[in-house]
Amino acid sequence: MKPELNYTVNQAALIAGVTVEEVQTAIMAGLVKFMINCYGEPRITQSGLGVLKGVRG
């Protein structure tokens, strides 16, 4: 089983076409699945990215 792809907040914003602030707001609102990597940084999962893409429609 390969590990699920995950993205930094900046990468997720770029791929989803939203701003970094929107990504951070979505995380805080609990709308986006994310995990914390070994450096304590939030990493957006593949499914979280799908949610972000849906934010703008």
Side-chain angles (χ1 to χ4, degrees), residues 5-49:
L5 285 171
N6 61 71
Y7 307 92
T8 64
V9 170
N10 288 350
Q11 287 172 323
L14 273 173
I15 295 166
V18 296
T19 66
V20 171
E21 289 77 25
E22 286 172 316
V23 175
Q24 291 168 335
T25 302
I27 289 172
M28 285 181 227
L31 299 173
V32 175
K33 286 194 173 160
F34 72 99
M35 49 196 236
I36 304 295
N37 69 8
C38 55
Y39 304 109
E41 304 162 333
R43 306 289 285 196
I44 314 300
T45 62
Q46 192 77 46
S47 56
L49 198 60

